[in-house]
Amino acid sequence: MPLVGCHHCDAVLVEPEVPDGGAAICQRCGGTLFRRQRATVEITLALSTAAAILFVVANAYPFLSFEMQGQTTRTTLSSGVFALWDGGRYVIALLVLGTTVIAPALQIGLMLYVLAPLHFHRPAPFAVEAFRLVERCRPWSMIEVFLIGIFVAVVKLSDMAEIVPGIALWAFGLLIPILAGGTSFLDAELVWREIGDLD
Amino acid sequence: MSALDPTLTSAIGPHAQCHVCNLVVGVPEGPTDGLACPRCRTALHRRKPESLSRTWSLLIAAAICYVPANLYPVMEVTTLGVSQADTILSGVIYLAAHGTWPLAVIVFIASVIVPVAKIVALGYLALSVQRASQWRPRDRARLYRIVEQVGRWSMVDVYVVTILVALVHLGSLANVEARVGGFYFGAVVVLTMFAAESFDPRLIWDQLIDDADRDAQKAGGDDDGG
Ligand SMILES: [Zn+2]
Ligand SMILES: [Zn+2]
């Protein structure tokens, strides 16, 4: 009988039968044990590809422009980081860079790197290390929090000047549900079985 | 049909669970020093090493940083030569005064309440484990999962400052500069996130295992609740 462990409370259980698309809940602590998603590679691969395109758009174009007495400034993700860096706020600049650019980029890029070869049932070299890094990056990828930050900034500036949303703002808006979907359709156990050293 | 045998966990017994890929691995009894997960090659630990002392040190550091994070301004706004320093709280008051209540409430909860609640909740969880509490383990486990999820939202103020600094730099007309409060605030968020990661929620259940073992021995170990 295959055993499965609960990573919330450490109960070791006999693996329950779970229908496709369902999730197993730990009887002891109520935490989610795993999700069963047989088409996980195809679904998450499609979502990660969409996320990659949107992420490039979100980074390449300004998300807000600010007009005041004939002067206009625009901001992209990286221009915010540069402005902090120029002002001598190095630690905060790195924190913002890490949580809004590096962590999401790693999360999306490494997911593609792990899943695309799996579609052909051929694990990529260092897939184990890459997938481990994906899981480590997830809590540090904070794009949805950044979007709320944009709304707050717009409200704060609205009676000072004219604020115009840019293309990147729409890309952000789409990116968030797609990233969330990628996480909820991911059957990590299935991926580990495919890429891991066990047979 | 019940798949749960409450005495079967990887705290002491013949199994350890990989904390990265969740594989249940058969191991010799006792410490798992030097063993690695056969599937993902991560070092195997029955529990996160030094979980409680790490959690406490990070929590104390976060609590210390929380004070300057709220006392010092996070940014300075200059319009037409007049400068005004904004702390986290004065930013919330500004939002409320400008009639955007929902946003003011969100920012107040995310920036002021969440960090404190997170420090208190993790401190309580660590204390409950140290005192071998038996009280409502399911709810304590749920509390941990909430704490783990909610901490990231505190970053919202750091992002607001970033965006304002990037957008408003029109010299004497209008200018926003970041101030040192943001550094402490970011430190609070990062430290509490690491604290949540260091805490091992499986510790909540260990005391109950000891008791279940004792009960099973008393009853002669023939009971299968189902
Ligand atoms: Zn559990
Ligand atoms: Zn493993």
Side-chain angles (χ1 to χ4, degrees):
Chain A
M1 269 186 306
L3 294 175
V4 59
C6 173
H7 59 281
H8 303 289
C9 75
D10 209 22
V12 175
L13 310 130
V14 175
E15 189 178 310
E17 288 286 325
V18 175
D20 195 21
I25 304 294
C26 174
Q27 296 170 34
R28 181 162 71 159
C29 75
T32 306
L33 286 172
F34 60 85
R35 296 172 205 284
R36 191 51 82 233
Q37 191 76 51
R38 279 179 229 295
T40 189
V41 172
E42 284 68 29
I43 297 173
T44 21
L45 191 55
L47 289 170
S48 302
T49 310
I53 295 165
L54 289 168
F55 186 69
V56 171
V57 174
N59 274 280
Y61 293 92
F63 56 85
L64 286 180
S65 46
F66 170 86
E67 289 170 33
M68 191 179 181
Q69 304 196 356
Q71 296 192 58
T72 303
T73 50
R74 291 187 172 79
T75 181
T76 62
L77 259 179
S78 48
S79 67
V81 175
F82 283 130
L84 286 173
W85 187 271
D86 287 343
R89 304 286 158 202
Y90 305 117
V91 178
I92 290 294
L94 291 177
L95 183 61
V96 173
L97 183 73
T99 52
T100 61
V101 181
I102 294 175
L106 281 175
Q107 202 193 343
I108 298 167
L110 291 174
M111 197 74 128
L112 285 173
Y113 176 78
V114 171
L115 293 179
L118 271 197
H119 179 61
F120 305 102
H121 298 285
R122 223 181 289 152
F126 300 106
V128 166
E129 285 74 13
F131 198 56
R132 233 158 47 182
L133 199 54
V134 170
E135 305 269 307
R136 279 203 75 80
C137 282
R138 184 164 298 129
W140 297 99
S141 163
M142 302 189 184
I143 292 208
E144 75 279 20
V145 183
F146 189 77
L147 190 68
I148 300 291
I150 295 178
F151 290 139
V152 175
V154 167
V155 169
K156 289 204 177 194
L157 294 175
S158 58
D159 46 72
M160 194 168 159
E162 176 108 23
I163 303 294
V164 185
I167 296 176
L169 191 60
W170 309 116
F172 272 122
L174 284 171
L175 186 56
I176 290 156
I178 285 176
L179 276 181
T183 305
S184 65
F185 280 112
L186 179 68
D187 183 343
E189 174 65 22
L190 198 147
V191 175
W192 279 120
R193 273 179 202 170
E194 294 254 351
I195 64 174
D197 290 347
L198 291 176
D199 236 3
Chain B
M1 183 58 217
S2 167
L4 179 66
D5 176 347
T7 63
L8 190 60
T9 87
S10 51
I12 35 168
H15 298 98
Q17 194 192 145
C18 173
H19 63 271
V20 172
C21 77
N22 288 348
L23 183 70
V24 174
V25 186
V27 291
E29 307 255 335
T32 55
D33 300 345
L35 294 175
C37 172
R39 183 159 76 174
C40 73
R41 305 193 285 273
T42 314
L44 279 177
H45 303 290
R46 292 180 187 276
R47 293 290 174 266
K48 290 179 190 170
E50 288 141 48
S51 169
L52 288 178
S53 55
R54 276 190 202 175
T55 306
W56 276 121
S57 353
L58 290 161
L59 282 181
I60 290 165
I64 292 169
C65 288
Y66 185 76
V67 178
N70 280 282
L71 287 182
Y72 288 120
V74 290
M75 62 180 177
E76 193 172 308
V77 184
T78 311
T79 33
L80 302 169
V82 184
S83 286
Q84 188 206 335
D86 252 337
T87 61
I88 299 271
L89 208 57
S90 73
V92 173
I93 292 167
Y94 178 93
L95 282 176
H98 282 69
T100 43
W101 276 101
L103 222 45
V105 170
I106 289 174
V107 175
F108 181 71
I109 291 174
S111 312
V112 183
I113 306 278
V114 165
V116 176
K118 213 177 153 178
I119 293 170
V120 170
L122 280 172
Y124 160 70
L125 286 173
L127 212 60
S128 82
V129 164
Q130 279 165 327
R131 295 192 169 177
S133 164
Q134 314 263 328
W135 188 74
R136 295 166 75 168
R138 265 183 103 101
D139 289 332
R140 281 186 286 144
R142 188 173 305 135
L143 176 65
Y144 174 73
R145 290 201 293 276
I146 294 170
V147 164
E148 217 184 359
Q149 294 297 317
V150 90
R152 56 204 286 104
W153 291 96
S154 303
M155 279 293 281
V156 80
D157 256 315
V158 172
Y159 294 147
V160 171
V161 172
T162 306
I163 295 163
L164 295 185
V165 167
L167 272 179
V168 190
H169 49 84
L170 303 175
S172 56
L173 189 59
N175 204 37
V176 175
E177 266 182 74
R179 284 283 171 263
V180 74
F183 168 80
Y184 289 107
F185 197 78
V188 171
V189 179
V190 171
L191 288 168
T192 54
M193 279 181 73
F194 277 124
E197 206 203 80
S198 317
F199 182 75
D200 194 332
R202 299 177 295 187
L203 294 172
I204 295 172
W205 302 89
D206 284 350
Q207 180 64 23
L208 283 92
I209 290 305
D210 297 345
D211 287 10
D213 266 339
R214 230 171 288 131
D215 291 350
Q217 276 166 9
K218 254 185 242 160
D222 207 64
D223 192 10
D224 187 18

